[in-house]
Amino acid sequence: MKLTAGAGGRAGGGAGSRAEHSSMSPLRVCIVGSGNWGSAIARIVGKNVQQSNRFDSTVKMWVFEEIINGRRLSEIINQEHENVKYLPGYKIPKNVVAVPDVAEAVRGTDILVFVLPHQFIGRVCEQMAGHIKPGAFGISLIKGVDEGPEGLKLISDLIREKLKIEISVLMGANIAKEVADEKFCETTIGCKNEKQGQIFKELLQTPNFRITVVPDTDTVEICGALKNIVAVGAGFCDGLSFGDNTKAAVIRLGLMEMVAFAQIFCRGPVSISTFLESCGVADLITTCYGGRNRKVAEAFARTGKSIEELENEMLNGQKLQGPQTSAEVYKILKEKNMLEKFPLFTTIYKICYEGESIQNFISCLQNHPEHV
């Protein structure tokens, strides 16, 4: 199953779609999270729901409450329609309403869009449990993995387990500021339910945010998590002044380890073609050249400061996903006695957390097997 946009740009949009859904109760949407990526997505969702009778015109957005210059962030967003901390300079549509209580935000909602750092999702889901409307379903834009009793636990698995809802995923080469600038990009939705895939496409697609829907959801999600580890390696390259040839090798070797990891840990068959979608090679390339994981890893190599120090200095309250994901992947691989099969992932973890010399990074590349 691969769903592509028609000539009109947004799949499912237009007068036919509005007529089809006019007799049904409109679907209520809540965005769970309001960082830079959440705020960029809120700009898209807020506009799209006004163009289709499928959706209720008011979108709730859960905001982790913070005080900015003596004012509540949720209050600033609702009055000035701008997330002045995480996406300054970009207006959020007025029909997007910031709600600081997550239980209140999700109450009565049909569609949940999860977009927050992966280390917070468990706690947030616990606060949401018991407040979810029967029949609600969701989509995760969260890039990361967790560890469970069987080894790998996907973020979608964690949400599904805690909230008992059907969950899809969206991953792609989508740097938040570029999406907010409405620069053309592609993204991938992993969704096994064809009807829900069409709904998500109508909710999220624009002429400059083009979506492909594929059924290989686990691979889509694993790509979104693992590429951040590889981006840390790309940042090490930049910090050590190794050049673009070396970075290209990091990207290729990293992609090999991503494919091997998916083949070992994904449930069911892994489609290699999924790695050629935006969630795979495209996201890997853009993150290795433009993402925050690369940027902070470069500073790590140049300054010798810890990852935590650099997060505090460079990310304005946001959290880095690559090093954290490398730690979770390391635990999974160690438990399965597979560390030697993933030398790039393993070395990046050890440099970030165990004090291994960053100079050993080049040795990892020199001695990396041609095939994983």
Side-chain angles (χ1 to χ4, degrees), residues 97-268:
V97 178
V99 180
D101 183 315
V102 71
E104 180 188 340
V106 303
R107 194 173 289 115
T109 293
D110 300 286
I111 300 174
L112 298 161
V113 180
F114 294 90
V115 51
L116 65 160
H118 81 274
Q119 52 264 54
F120 302 137
I121 187 63
R123 185 166 71 242
V124 170
C125 282
E126 287 168 7
Q127 294 170 3
M128 293 167 60
H131 303 282
I132 301 298
K133 181 179 178 179
F137 56 98
I139 187 165
S140 170
L141 282 61
I142 300 168
K143 295 179 176 178
V145 293
D146 204 352
E147 52 174 329
E150 304 301 317
L152 177 74
K153 176 172 277 192
L154 300 172
I155 299 302
S156 62
D157 289 336
L158 192 152
I159 296 171
R160 195 177 292 113
E161 179 183 289
K162 289 185 178 292
L163 299 181
K164 315 301 182 193
I165 63 172
E166 202 167 346
I167 188 86
S168 300
V169 297
L170 180 150
M171 306 284 153
N174 309 139
I175 292 173
K177 188 176 183 301
E178 293 185 16
V179 173
D181 279 329
E182 299 182 18
K183 294 178 179 176
F184 177 81
C185 67
E186 299 178 307
T187 199
T188 312
I189 289 178
C191 180
K192 289 180 165 50
N193 183 314
E194 188 166 353
K195 181 180 177 183
Q196 288 180 10
Q198 289 287 8
I199 291 171
F200 288 134
K201 195 161 186 175
E202 186 173 339
L203 178 67
L204 293 162
Q205 182 161 269
T206 75
N208 285 321
F209 191 65
R210 187 168 67 183
I211 293 171
T212 300
V213 182
V214 300
D216 191 5
T217 58
D218 285 4
T219 305
V220 171
E221 188 168 3
I222 279 179
C223 282
L226 299 183
K227 58 93 184 183
N228 282 326
I229 306 177
V230 184
V232 173
F236 291 166
C237 277
D238 292 337
L240 296 167
S241 301
F242 285 159
D244 285 339
N245 289 343
T246 309
K247 190 190 284 192
V250 170
I251 292 171
R252 187 188 78 83
L253 296 170
L255 181 60
M256 285 170 53
E257 292 195 11
M258 288 168 61
V259 172
F261 190 94
Q263 289 174 331
I264 292 169
F265 290 102
C266 278
R267 297 158 297 199

Side-chain angles (χ1 to χ4, degrees), residues 41-104:
I41 285 297
R43 283 168 52 82
I44 291 174
V45 172
K47 292 173 186 175
N48 280 359
V49 297
Q50 297 178 74
Q51 298 175 30
S52 167
N53 284 352
R54 190 195 288 269
F55 307 105
D56 189 278
S57 61
T58 297
V59 175
K60 292 181 182 178
M61 180 172 71
W62 172 63
V63 174
F64 177 77
E65 195 69 282
E66 300 178 65
I67 302 300
I68 311 294
N69 296 326
R71 298 174 64 194
R72 293 185 179 90
L73 181 57
S74 61
E75 176 186 293
I76 295 171
I77 292 172
N78 287 334
Q79 292 178 357
E80 299 177 16
H81 308 291
E82 180 182 343
N83 189 331
V84 296
K85 180 167 185 181
Y86 296 113
L87 196 67
Y90 295 88
K91 289 297 181 183
I92 294 172
K94 294 180 180 179
N95 60 316
V96 177
V97 178
V99 180
D101 183 315
V102 71
E104 180 188 340

Side-chain angles (χ1 to χ4, degrees), residues 302-342:
R302 293 194 189 279
T303 67
K305 293 181 179 179
S306 71
I307 292 294
E308 188 176 10
E309 283 179 285
L310 292 167
E311 272 186 335
N312 293 333
E313 289 179 15
M314 300 175 67
L315 296 185
N316 191 32
Q318 296 178 87
K319 289 294 180 183
L320 208 59
Q321 300 300 302
Q324 179 75 28
T325 303
S326 78
E328 284 147 1
V329 165
Y330 182 85
K331 291 175 189 174
I332 293 165
L333 294 174
K334 188 175 183 181
E335 180 70 24
K336 298 291 185 182
N337 202 25
M338 290 183 177
L339 290 173
E340 74 285 351
K341 293 182 181 294
F342 296 87

Side-chain angles (χ1 to χ4, degrees), residues 20-54:
E20 177 187 350
H21 302 296
S22 59
S23 61
M24 299 168 59
S25 296
L27 298 170
R28 295 181 179 179
V29 180
C30 177
I31 300 169
V32 183
S34 57
N36 66 336
W37 187 210
S39 298
I41 285 297
R43 283 168 52 82
I44 291 174
V45 172
K47 292 173 186 175
N48 280 359
V49 297
Q50 297 178 74
Q51 298 175 30
S52 167
N53 284 352
R54 190 195 288 269

